[in-house]
CSV table of all heavy atoms in Angstrom, one decimal:
chain,number,residue,atom,x,y,z
A,30,MET,N,-35.0,-4.3,-15.5
A,30,MET,CA,-33.9,-4.6,-14.6
A,30,MET,C,-34.6,-4.5,-13.1
A,30,MET,O,-35.2,-3.3,-12.8
A,30,MET,CB,-32.7,-3.8,-14.7
A,30,MET,CG,-31.7,-4.1,-13.7
A,30,MET,SD,-30.2,-2.9,-13.9
A,30,MET,CE,-29.5,-3.6,-15.2
A,31,GLU,N,-34.4,-5.4,-12.1
A,31,GLU,CA,-35.0,-5.3,-10.9
A,31,GLU,C,-33.9,-4.7,-9.9
A,31,GLU,O,-32.8,-5.1,-10.0
A,31,GLU,CB,-35.6,-6.6,-10.4
A,31,GLU,CG,-36.8,-7.0,-11.2
A,31,GLU,CD,-37.3,-8.4,-10.7
A,31,GLU,OE1,-37.3,-8.7,-9.5
A,31,GLU,OE2,-38.0,-9.2,-11.4
A,32,TYR,N,-34.4,-4.0,-8.9
A,32,TYR,CA,-33.6,-3.5,-7.9
A,32,TYR,C,-33.3,-4.6,-6.9
A,32,TYR,O,-34.3,-5.2,-6.4
A,32,TYR,CB,-34.2,-2.3,-7.2
A,32,TYR,CG,-33.3,-1.8,-6.0
A,32,TYR,CD1,-32.1,-1.2,-6.2
A,32,TYR,CD2,-33.7,-2.0,-4.7
A,32,TYR,CE1,-31.3,-0.8,-5.1
A,32,TYR,CE2,-33.0,-1.6,-3.7
A,32,TYR,CZ,-31.8,-1.1,-3.8
A,32,TYR,OH,-31.0,-0.6,-2.7
A,33,GLN,N,-32.0,-5.0,-6.5
A,33,GLN,CA,-31.8,-5.9,-5.5
A,33,GLN,C,-31.5,-5.3,-4.2
A,33,GLN,O,-30.6,-4.5,-4.2
A,33,GLN,CB,-30.7,-6.9,-6.0
A,33,GLN,CG,-31.0,-7.8,-7.1
A,33,GLN,CD,-29.8,-8.8,-7.5
A,33,GLN,OE1,-28.9,-8.7,-6.9
A,33,GLN,NE2,-30.2,-9.6,-8.4
A,34,GLN,N,-32.2,-5.7,-3.1
A,34,GLN,CA,-32.1,-5.2,-1.9
A,34,GLN,C,-30.5,-5.5,-1.4
A,34,GLN,O,-30.0,-6.6,-1.6
A,34,GLN,CB,-33.0,-5.7,-0.9
A,34,GLN,CG,-33.0,-4.9,0.3
A,34,GLN,CD,-34.2,-5.4,1.3
A,34,GLN,OE1,-34.8,-6.4,1.0
A,34,GLN,NE2,-34.3,-4.7,2.4
A,35,GLU,N,-30.0,-4.5,-0.7
A,35,GLU,CA,-28.6,-4.8,-0.2
A,35,GLU,C,-28.6,-5.7,0.9
A,35,GLU,O,-29.6,-5.9,1.7
A,35,GLU,CB,-28.0,-3.5,0.4
A,35,GLU,CG,-27.2,-2.6,-0.5
A,35,GLU,CD,-26.5,-1.5,0.2
A,35,GLU,OE1,-27.0,-0.9,1.1
A,35,GLU,OE2,-25.5,-1.3,0.1
A,36,THR,N,-27.7,-6.7,0.9
A,36,THR,CA,-27.6,-7.7,2.0
A,36,THR,C,-27.0,-6.9,3.3
A,36,THR,O,-26.5,-5.9,3.2
A,36,THR,CB,-26.6,-8.8,1.7
A,36,THR,OG1,-25.2,-8.3,1.5
A,36,THR,CG2,-27.0,-9.5,0.5
A,37,LYS,N,-27.3,-7.7,4.4
A,37,LYS,CA,-26.6,-7.2,5.6
A,37,LYS,C,-25.2,-6.9,5.6
A,37,LYS,O,-24.8,-5.8,6.1
A,37,LYS,CB,-26.9,-8.0,6.9
A,37,LYS,CG,-26.5,-7.7,8.2
A,37,LYS,CD,-27.1,-8.6,9.3
A,37,LYS,CE,-26.3,-9.8,9.4
A,37,LYS,NZ,-26.6,-10.6,10.7
A,38,LEU,N,-24.5,-7.7,5.0
A,38,LEU,CA,-23.0,-7.7,4.8
A,38,LEU,C,-22.6,-6.5,4.0
A,38,LEU,O,-21.8,-5.7,4.4
A,38,LEU,CB,-22.4,-9.0,4.4
A,38,LEU,CG,-20.8,-8.9,4.1
A,38,LEU,CD1,-20.1,-8.6,5.5
A,38,LEU,CD2,-20.5,-10.2,3.5
A,39,GLU,N,-23.3,-6.2,2.9
A,39,GLU,CA,-23.0,-5.1,2.0
A,39,GLU,C,-23.3,-3.8,2.8
A,39,GLU,O,-22.5,-2.9,2.7
A,39,GLU,CB,-23.9,-5.2,0.8
A,39,GLU,CG,-23.5,-6.3,-0.1
A,39,GLU,CD,-24.4,-6.4,-1.3
A,39,GLU,OE1,-25.6,-6.3,-1.1
A,39,GLU,OE2,-23.9,-6.9,-2.4
A,40,MET,N,-24.4,-3.7,3.6
A,40,MET,CA,-24.6,-2.4,4.4
A,40,MET,C,-23.6,-2.3,5.4
A,40,MET,O,-23.2,-1.1,5.6
A,40,MET,CB,-26.0,-2.6,5.0
A,40,MET,CG,-27.3,-2.6,4.0
A,40,MET,SD,-28.8,-2.5,4.8
A,40,MET,CE,-28.9,-4.0,5.5
A,41,ILE,N,-23.1,-3.2,6.0
A,41,ILE,CA,-22.1,-3.1,7.0
A,41,ILE,C,-20.7,-2.6,6.5
A,41,ILE,O,-20.1,-1.7,6.9
A,41,ILE,CB,-21.9,-4.3,7.9
A,41,ILE,CG1,-23.2,-4.6,8.7
A,41,ILE,CG2,-20.7,-4.4,8.7
A,41,ILE,CD1,-23.2,-6.1,9.4
A,42,LEU,N,-20.3,-3.4,5.4
A,42,LEU,CA,-19.0,-2.9,4.7
A,42,LEU,C,-19.1,-1.6,4.1
A,42,LEU,O,-18.1,-0.9,4.1
A,42,LEU,CB,-18.7,-4.1,3.7
A,42,LEU,CG,-18.4,-5.4,4.4
A,42,LEU,CD1,-18.1,-6.4,3.1
A,42,LEU,CD2,-17.3,-5.4,5.3
A,43,SER,N,-20.3,-1.2,3.6
A,43,SER,CA,-20.2,0.1,3.1
A,43,SER,C,-20.1,1.3,4.1
A,43,SER,O,-19.7,2.4,3.7
A,43,SER,CB,-21.6,0.2,2.2
A,43,SER,OG,-22.7,0.4,3.1
A,44,GLN,N,-20.3,0.9,5.3
A,44,GLN,CA,-20.2,2.0,6.3
A,44,GLN,C,-18.9,2.0,7.1
A,44,GLN,O,-18.7,2.9,7.9
A,44,GLN,CB,-21.3,1.7,7.4
A,44,GLN,CG,-22.8,1.8,6.9
A,44,GLN,CD,-22.9,3.3,6.2
A,44,GLN,OE1,-22.7,4.3,7.0
A,44,GLN,NE2,-23.5,3.4,5.1
A,45,ILE,N,-18.0,1.1,6.7
A,45,ILE,CA,-16.8,1.0,7.5
A,45,ILE,C,-15.6,1.5,6.6
A,45,ILE,O,-15.5,1.1,5.5
A,45,ILE,CB,-16.4,-0.5,7.8
A,45,ILE,CG1,-17.6,-1.1,8.7
A,45,ILE,CG2,-15.1,-0.7,8.5
A,45,ILE,CD1,-17.4,-2.4,9.1
A,46,ASN,N,-14.8,2.3,7.1
A,46,ASN,CA,-13.7,2.8,6.4
A,46,ASN,C,-12.5,2.2,6.9
A,46,ASN,O,-12.0,2.4,8.1
A,46,ASN,CB,-13.6,4.4,6.6
A,46,ASN,CG,-12.4,5.0,5.8
A,46,ASN,OD1,-11.6,4.3,5.1
A,46,ASN,ND2,-12.2,6.3,6.0
A,47,VAL,N,-11.8,1.3,6.2
A,47,VAL,CA,-10.7,0.5,6.6
A,47,VAL,C,-9.5,1.0,6.0
A,47,VAL,O,-8.4,0.3,6.0
A,47,VAL,CB,-11.0,-0.9,6.2
A,47,VAL,CG1,-12.1,-1.7,6.9
A,47,VAL,CG2,-11.1,-1.2,4.7
A,48,SER,N,-9.4,2.2,5.4
A,48,SER,CA,-8.2,2.8,4.6
A,48,SER,C,-7.0,3.0,5.5
A,48,SER,O,-5.9,2.7,5.1
A,48,SER,CB,-8.6,4.0,3.8
A,48,SER,OG,-9.1,4.9,4.7
A,49,LYS,N,-7.2,3.4,6.8
A,49,LYS,CA,-6.1,3.5,7.6
A,49,LYS,C,-5.5,2.2,8.1
A,49,LYS,O,-4.3,2.1,8.2
A,49,LYS,CB,-6.6,4.4,9.0
A,49,LYS,CG,-6.8,5.8,8.6
A,49,LYS,CD,-7.1,6.5,9.9
A,49,LYS,CE,-7.5,8.0,9.7
A,49,LYS,NZ,-7.8,8.7,10.9
A,50,ILE,N,-6.4,1.2,8.3
A,50,ILE,CA,-5.9,-0.1,8.6
A,50,ILE,C,-5.1,-0.7,7.4
A,50,ILE,O,-4.1,-1.3,7.7
A,50,ILE,CB,-7.0,-1.0,9.1
A,50,ILE,CG1,-7.7,-0.4,10.3
A,50,ILE,CG2,-6.6,-2.4,9.3
A,50,ILE,CD1,-8.9,-1.1,10.7
A,51,ALA,N,-5.7,-0.5,6.3
A,51,ALA,CA,-5.1,-1.1,5.1
A,51,ALA,C,-3.7,-0.5,4.8
A,51,ALA,O,-2.8,-1.2,4.5
A,51,ALA,CB,-6.0,-1.0,3.8
A,52,SER,N,-3.7,0.9,5.0
A,52,SER,CA,-2.4,1.5,4.7
A,52,SER,C,-1.2,1.1,5.8
A,52,SER,O,-0.1,0.9,5.4
A,52,SER,CB,-2.6,3.0,4.9
A,52,SER,OG,-1.8,3.8,5.6
A,53,SER,N,-1.8,0.9,7.0
A,53,SER,CA,-0.8,0.3,8.1
A,53,SER,C,-0.3,-1.0,7.7
A,53,SER,O,0.8,-1.3,7.8
A,53,SER,CB,-1.5,0.3,9.4
A,53,SER,OG,-1.8,1.6,9.9
A,54,MET,N,-1.1,-1.8,7.2
A,54,MET,CA,-0.8,-3.2,6.9
A,54,MET,C,0.1,-3.2,5.6
A,54,MET,O,1.2,-4.0,5.7
A,54,MET,CB,-2.1,-4.0,6.4
A,54,MET,CG,-2.9,-4.3,7.6
A,54,MET,SD,-4.5,-5.3,7.0
A,54,MET,CE,-3.6,-6.9,6.5
A,55,ARG,N,0.0,-2.3,4.7
A,55,ARG,CA,0.9,-2.1,3.6
A,55,ARG,C,2.3,-1.9,4.1
A,55,ARG,O,3.3,-2.3,3.7
A,55,ARG,CB,0.4,-1.2,2.6
A,55,ARG,CG,-0.7,-1.7,1.6
A,55,ARG,CD,-0.8,-0.8,0.6
A,55,ARG,NE,-2.0,-1.2,-0.2
A,55,ARG,CZ,-3.2,-0.6,-0.5
A,55,ARG,NH1,-3.4,0.4,0.2
A,55,ARG,NH2,-4.1,-1.2,-1.2
A,56,LYS,N,2.4,-0.9,5.1
A,56,LYS,CA,3.7,-0.4,5.7
A,56,LYS,C,4.4,-1.6,6.4
A,56,LYS,O,5.5,-1.9,6.2
A,56,LYS,CB,3.4,0.8,6.5
A,56,LYS,CG,3.1,2.2,5.7
A,56,LYS,CD,2.9,3.2,6.7
A,56,LYS,CE,2.3,4.4,6.0
A,56,LYS,NZ,1.8,5.4,6.9
A,57,CYS,N,3.5,-2.3,7.2
A,57,CYS,CA,4.1,-3.3,8.1
A,57,CYS,C,4.5,-4.6,7.3
A,57,CYS,O,5.6,-5.1,7.5
A,57,CYS,CB,3.2,-3.7,9.1
A,57,CYS,SG,2.9,-2.4,10.5
A,58,PHE,N,3.6,-5.1,6.4
A,58,PHE,CA,3.9,-6.3,5.7
A,58,PHE,C,4.2,-6.2,4.3
A,58,PHE,O,4.2,-7.0,3.6
A,58,PHE,CB,2.5,-7.1,5.9
A,58,PHE,CG,2.1,-7.4,7.3
A,58,PHE,CD1,1.1,-6.7,7.9
A,58,PHE,CD2,2.9,-8.2,8.1
A,58,PHE,CE1,0.8,-6.9,9.2
A,58,PHE,CE2,2.6,-8.4,9.4
A,58,PHE,CZ,1.5,-7.8,10.0
A,59,GLY,N,4.4,-4.9,3.8
A,59,GLY,CA,4.7,-4.6,2.4
A,59,GLY,C,5.9,-5.4,1.8
A,59,GLY,O,6.0,-5.8,0.8
A,60,THR,N,6.9,-5.7,2.7
A,60,THR,CA,8.1,-6.3,2.1
A,60,THR,C,8.2,-7.8,2.6
A,60,THR,O,9.1,-8.5,2.1
A,60,THR,CB,9.4,-5.7,2.8
A,60,THR,OG1,9.2,-5.7,4.3
A,60,THR,CG2,9.4,-4.1,2.4
A,61,LYS,N,7.1,-8.3,3.2
A,61,LYS,CA,7.1,-9.7,3.6
A,61,LYS,C,5.9,-10.4,2.9
A,61,LYS,O,5.0,-9.9,2.6
A,61,LYS,CB,6.8,-9.9,5.1
A,61,LYS,CG,8.0,-9.0,5.9
A,61,LYS,CD,7.7,-9.1,7.4
A,61,LYS,CE,8.7,-8.2,8.2
A,61,LYS,NZ,8.3,-8.0,9.5
A,62,GLY,N,6.2,-11.7,2.7
A,62,GLY,CA,5.2,-12.5,2.2
A,62,GLY,C,5.0,-12.3,0.7
A,62,GLY,O,5.6,-11.6,0.0
A,63,PRO,N,3.9,-13.1,0.0
A,63,PRO,CA,3.8,-13.0,-1.3
A,63,PRO,C,3.3,-11.7,-1.8
A,63,PRO,O,2.5,-11.0,-1.1
A,63,PRO,CB,2.7,-14.1,-1.5
A,63,PRO,CG,2.2,-14.4,-0.2
A,63,PRO,CD,3.1,-14.0,0.8
A,64,LYS,N,3.6,-11.2,-2.9
A,64,LYS,CA,3.2,-10.0,-3.4
A,64,LYS,C,1.8,-10.0,-4.1
A,64,LYS,O,1.3,-11.1,-4.4
A,64,LYS,CB,4.1,-9.4,-4.5
A,64,LYS,CG,5.5,-9.3,-4.1
A,64,LYS,CD,5.5,-8.2,-2.9
A,64,LYS,CE,7.0,-8.1,-2.5
A,64,LYS,NZ,7.2,-7.9,-1.1
A,65,GLY,N,1.0,-9.0,-4.1
A,65,GLY,CA,-0.3,-9.0,-4.7
A,65,GLY,C,-1.4,-9.3,-3.9
A,65,GLY,O,-2.5,-9.2,-4.3
A,66,ASN,N,-1.2,-9.4,-2.5
A,66,ASN,CA,-2.3,-9.4,-1.7
A,66,ASN,C,-2.8,-8.2,-1.3
A,66,ASN,O,-2.2,-7.2,-0.9
A,66,ASN,CB,-1.9,-10.1,-0.4
A,66,ASN,CG,-1.5,-11.6,-0.6
A,66,ASN,OD1,-2.1,-12.3,-1.4
A,66,ASN,ND2,-0.7,-12.2,0.2
A,67,ASP,N,-4.3,-7.9,-1.5
A,67,ASP,CA,-4.8,-6.6,-1.2
A,67,ASP,C,-5.3,-6.6,0.2
A,67,ASP,O,-6.2,-7.4,0.7
A,67,ASP,CB,-6.1,-6.4,-2.1
A,67,ASP,CG,-6.7,-5.2,-2.0
A,67,ASP,OD1,-6.1,-4.2,-1.5
A,67,ASP,OD2,-8.0,-5.2,-2.2
A,68,PRO,N,-4.7,-5.7,1.0
A,68,PRO,CA,-5.3,-5.5,2.5
A,68,PRO,C,-6.7,-5.2,2.6
A,68,PRO,O,-7.3,-5.7,3.5
A,68,PRO,CB,-4.4,-4.4,3.0
A,68,PRO,CG,-3.4,-4.1,2.0
A,68,PRO,CD,-3.7,-4.7,0.8
A,69,PHE,N,-7.4,-4.6,1.6
A,69,PHE,CA,-8.7,-4.3,1.8
A,69,PHE,C,-9.6,-5.5,1.7
A,69,PHE,O,-10.5,-5.9,2.4
A,69,PHE,CB,-9.3,-3.4,0.7
A,69,PHE,CG,-8.8,-2.0,0.8
A,69,PHE,CD1,-7.7,-1.4,0.2
A,69,PHE,CD2,-9.6,-1.1,1.7
A,69,PHE,CE1,-7.4,-0.1,0.5
A,69,PHE,CE2,-9.2,0.2,1.9
A,69,PHE,CZ,-8.0,0.7,1.3
A,70,SER,N,-9.2,-6.5,0.9
A,70,SER,CA,-9.9,-7.7,0.5
A,70,SER,C,-9.7,-8.5,2.0
A,70,SER,O,-10.5,-9.2,2.5
A,70,SER,CB,-9.3,-8.6,-0.5
A,70,SER,OG,-9.6,-7.9,-1.7
A,71,PHE,N,-8.6,-8.6,2.5
A,71,PHE,CA,-8.2,-9.3,3.6
A,71,PHE,C,-9.1,-8.9,4.9
A,71,PHE,O,-9.7,-9.6,5.6
A,71,PHE,CB,-6.7,-9.2,4.1
A,71,PHE,CG,-6.3,-9.9,5.3
A,71,PHE,CD1,-6.3,-11.4,5.3
A,71,PHE,CD2,-6.0,-9.3,6.5
A,71,PHE,CE1,-5.8,-12.0,6.4
A,71,PHE,CE2,-5.6,-10.0,7.5
A,71,PHE,CZ,-5.5,-11.4,7.5
A,72,ILE,N,-9.1,-7.5,5.0
A,72,ILE,CA,-10.0,-6.9,6.2
A,72,ILE,C,-11.4,-7.2,6.0
A,72,ILE,O,-12.2,-7.6,6.9
A,72,ILE,CB,-9.6,-5.5,6.3
A,72,ILE,CG1,-8.1,-5.1,6.7
A,72,ILE,CG2,-10.6,-4.8,7.3
A,72,ILE,CD1,-7.7,-3.7,6.5
A,73,TYR,N,-11.8,-7.0,4.7
A,73,TYR,CA,-13.3,-7.2,4.5
A,73,TYR,C,-13.7,-8.8,4.7
A,73,TYR,O,-14.8,-9.1,5.2
A,73,TYR,CB,-13.6,-6.8,3.0
A,73,TYR,CG,-13.8,-5.4,2.9
A,73,TYR,CD1,-13.4,-4.8,1.7
A,73,TYR,CD2,-14.1,-4.4,3.9
A,73,TYR,CE1,-13.5,-3.4,1.4
A,73,TYR,CE2,-14.2,-3.2,3.7
A,73,TYR,CZ,-13.8,-2.6,2.4
A,73,TYR,OH,-13.9,-1.3,2.4
A,74,ALA,N,-12.8,-9.7,4.4
A,74,ALA,CA,-13.0,-10.9,4.5
A,74,ALA,C,-13.2,-11.4,6.1
A,74,ALA,O,-14.0,-12.2,6.5
A,74,ALA,CB,-12.0,-11.9,3.9
A,75,LEU,N,-12.4,-10.8,6.9
A,75,LEU,CA,-12.3,-11.0,8.3
A,75,LEU,C,-13.6,-10.6,9.0
A,75,LEU,O,-14.2,-11.1,9.6
A,75,LEU,CB,-11.0,-10.4,8.9
A,75,LEU,CG,-9.7,-11.0,8.7
A,75,LEU,CD1,-8.7,-10.1,9.3
A,75,LEU,CD2,-9.7,-12.4,9.3
A,76,ILE,N,-14.0,-9.3,8.4
A,76,ILE,CA,-15.3,-8.8,8.9
A,76,ILE,C,-16.5,-9.6,8.5
A,76,ILE,O,-17.3,-9.9,9.3
A,76,ILE,CB,-15.5,-7.4,8.4
A,76,ILE,CG1,-14.4,-6.4,9.0
A,76,ILE,CG2,-16.9,-6.8,8.6
A,76,ILE,CD1,-14.4,-5.1,8.4
A,77,ALA,N,-16.4,-10.1,7.2
A,77,ALA,CA,-17.5,-10.9,6.6
A,77,ALA,C,-17.6,-12.3,7.4
A,77,ALA,O,-18.6,-12.8,7.7
A,77,ALA,CB,-17.3,-11.3,5.2
A,78,MET,N,-16.5,-12.7,7.7
A,78,MET,CA,-16.4,-14.0,8.6
A,78,MET,C,-17.2,-13.8,9.9
A,78,MET,O,-17.9,-14.7,10.4
A,78,MET,CB,-15.0,-14.4,8.9
A,78,MET,CG,-14.4,-15.1,7.6
A,78,MET,SD,-12.6,-15.6,7.8
A,78,MET,CE,-12.6,-16.2,9.5
A,79,GLN,N,-17.0,-12.7,10.6
A,79,GLN,CA,-17.7,-12.5,11.9
A,79,GLN,C,-19.2,-12.2,11.7
A,79,GLN,O,-19.9,-12.7,12.3
A,79,GLN,CB,-17.0,-11.1,12.5
A,79,GLN,CG,-15.6,-11.4,12.9
A,79,GLN,CD,-15.4,-12.5,14.0
A,79,GLN,OE1,-16.1,-12.5,15.0
A,79,GLN,NE2,-14.7,-13.6,13.7
A,80,VAL,N,-19.5,-11.4,10.6
A,80,VAL,CA,-20.9,-11.1,10.4
A,80,VAL,C,-21.6,-12.4,10.1
A,80,VAL,O,-22.8,-12.7,10.6
A,80,VAL,CB,-21.1,-10.1,9.2
A,80,VAL,CG1,-22.6,-9.9,8.8
A,80,VAL,CG2,-20.5,-8.7,9.5
A,81,GLU,N,-21.1,-13.3,9.2
A,81,GLU,CA,-21.7,-14.4,8.8
A,81,GLU,C,-21.4,-15.6,9.7
A,81,GLU,O,-21.8,-16.7,9.5
A,81,GLU,CB,-21.3,-14.8,7.4
A,81,GLU,CG,-21.6,-13.8,6.3
A,81,GLU,CD,-23.0,-13.5,6.0
A,81,GLU,OE1,-23.8,-14.5,6.5
A,81,GLU,OE2,-23.5,-12.3,5.7
A,82,LYS,N,-20.7,-15.4,10.8
A,82,LYS,CA,-20.3,-16.4,11.8
A,82,LYS,C,-19.5,-17.6,11.3
A,82,LYS,O,-19.9,-18.8,11.7
A,82,LYS,CB,-21.7,-16.9,12.5
A,82,LYS,CG,-22.2,-15.7,13.3
A,82,LYS,CD,-23.4,-16.1,14.1
A,82,LYS,CE,-24.0,-15.1,14.9
A,82,LYS,NZ,-24.1,-13.7,14.4
A,83,TYR,N,-18.7,-17.3,10.4
A,83,TYR,CA,-17.8,-18.3,9.9
A,83,TYR,C,-16.6,-18.7,10.9
A,83,TYR,O,-16.2,-17.7,11.5
A,83,TYR,CB,-17.2,-18.0,8.5
A,83,TYR,CG,-18.0,-18.3,7.4
A,83,TYR,CD1,-18.8,-17.2,6.8
A,83,TYR,CD2,-18.4,-19.5,6.9
A,83,TYR,CE1,-19.7,-17.3,5.8
A,83,TYR,CE2,-19.2,-19.6,5.7
A,83,TYR,CZ,-19.9,-18.4,5.3
A,83,TYR,OH,-20.8,-18.7,4.3
A,84,LYS,N,-16.2,-19.8,11.1
A,84,LYS,CA,-15.1,-20.1,11.9
A,84,LYS,C,-13.9,-20.5,11.1
A,84,LYS,O,-14.0,-21.2,10.1
A,84,LYS,CB,-15.5,-21.2,12.8
A,84,LYS,CG,-16.7,-21.0,13.8
A,84,LYS,CD,-16.5,-20.0,14.8
A,84,LYS,CE,-17.6,-20.0,15.7
A,84,LYS,NZ,-17.9,-18.6,16.3
A,85,LEU,N,-12.6,-20.2,11.5
A,85,LEU,CA,-11.5,-20.7,11.0
A,85,LEU,C,-11.2,-22.0,11.5
A,85,LEU,O,-11.3,-22.3,12.7
A,85,LEU,CB,-10.2,-19.7,11.4
A,85,LEU,CG,-10.2,-18.4,10.5
A,85,LEU,CD1,-9.0,-17.6,11.0
A,85,LEU,CD2,-10.0,-18.6,9.1
A,86,LEU,N,-10.8,-22.9,10.7
A,86,LEU,CA,-10.4,-24.2,11.0
A,86,LEU,C,-9.1,-24.3,11.5
A,86,LEU,O,-8.2,-23.9,10.8
A,86,LEU,CB,-10.7,-25.2,10.0
A,86,LEU,CG,-12.2,-25.3,9.6
A,86,LEU,CD1,-12.3,-26.3,8.3
A,86,LEU,CD2,-13.1,-25.9,10.7
A,87,ASN,N,-8.8,-24.9,12.6
A,87,ASN,CA,-7.4,-25.1,13.1
A,87,ASN,C,-6.8,-26.3,12.3
A,87,ASN,O,-7.4,-27.4,12.3
A,87,ASN,CB,-7.2,-25.2,14.5
A,87,ASN,CG,-7.6,-24.0,15.4
A,87,ASN,OD1,-7.4,-23.0,14.8
A,87,ASN,ND2,-8.1,-24.2,16.6
A,88,THR,N,-5.7,-26.1,11.7
A,88,THR,CA,-5.0,-27.3,11.0
A,88,THR,C,-3.9,-27.9,11.7
A,88,THR,O,-3.2,-27.2,12.6
A,88,THR,CB,-4.8,-26.9,9.6
A,88,THR,OG1,-3.9,-25.7,9.5
A,88,THR,CG2,-6.0,-26.6,8.8
Protein backbone atom coordinates (compact mmCIF):
# COMPACT_ATOMS: atom_id res chain seq x y z
CA MET A 1 0.00 0.00 0.00
CA GLU A 2 1.43 3.36 -1.02
CA TYR A 3 1.12 6.53 1.00
CA GLN A 4 -0.81 9.20 -0.85
CA GLN A 5 0.19 12.77 -0.18
CA GLU A 6 -2.55 15.03 1.20
CA THR A 7 -3.99 17.49 -1.26
CA LYS A 8 -3.96 21.21 -0.57
CA LEU A 9 -7.70 21.11 0.12
CA GLU A 10 -7.37 18.23 2.61
CA MET A 11 -4.61 20.08 4.47
CA ILE A 12 -6.70 23.25 4.69
CA LEU A 13 -9.89 21.48 5.83
CA SER A 14 -8.02 19.48 8.46
CA GLN A 15 -6.88 22.75 10.10
CA ILE A 16 -10.26 24.48 10.21
CA ASN A 17 -12.68 23.94 13.10
CA VAL A 18 -16.20 24.64 11.82
CA SER A 19 -18.10 23.13 14.77
CA LYS A 20 -19.26 26.49 16.16
CA ILE A 21 -20.52 27.62 12.76
CA ALA A 22 -22.22 24.28 12.12
CA SER A 23 -23.89 24.37 15.52
CA SER A 24 -25.18 27.91 14.84
CA MET A 25 -26.51 26.78 11.48
CA ARG A 26 -28.36 23.91 13.12
CA LYS A 27 -29.99 26.30 15.60
CA CYS A 28 -30.95 28.91 12.99
CA PHE A 29 -32.03 26.64 10.17
CA GLY A 30 -32.92 23.45 12.04
CA THR A 31 -36.66 23.93 11.61
CA LYS A 32 -36.58 25.28 8.05
CA GLY A 33 -35.95 23.55 4.75
CA PRO A 34 -35.43 19.88 3.96
CA LYS A 35 -34.22 17.60 6.71
CA GLY A 36 -30.98 15.67 6.56
CA ASN A 37 -28.64 18.41 5.34
CA ASP A 38 -25.34 18.29 7.17
CA PRO A 39 -24.00 21.79 7.99
CA PHE A 40 -20.41 20.47 8.03
CA SER A 41 -20.70 19.29 4.43
CA PHE A 42 -22.21 22.62 3.39
CA ILE A 43 -19.43 24.65 5.02
CA TYR A 44 -16.68 22.39 3.66
CA ALA A 45 -18.18 22.63 0.17
CA LEU A 46 -18.15 26.44 0.33
CA ILE A 47 -14.51 26.41 1.47
CA ALA A 48 -13.58 23.90 -1.24
CA MET A 49 -15.20 26.09 -3.89
CA GLN A 50 -13.02 29.02 -2.80
CA VAL A 51 -9.84 26.95 -2.61
CA GLU A 52 -10.44 25.35 -6.01
CA LYS A 53 -11.80 28.62 -7.47
CA TYR A 54 -15.19 27.25 -8.49
CA LYS A 55 -17.88 29.78 -9.27
CA LEU A 56 -21.59 29.48 -8.54
CA LEU A 57 -23.65 29.92 -11.66
CA ASN A 58 -26.51 32.41 -11.50
CA THR A 59 -29.68 30.83 -12.81
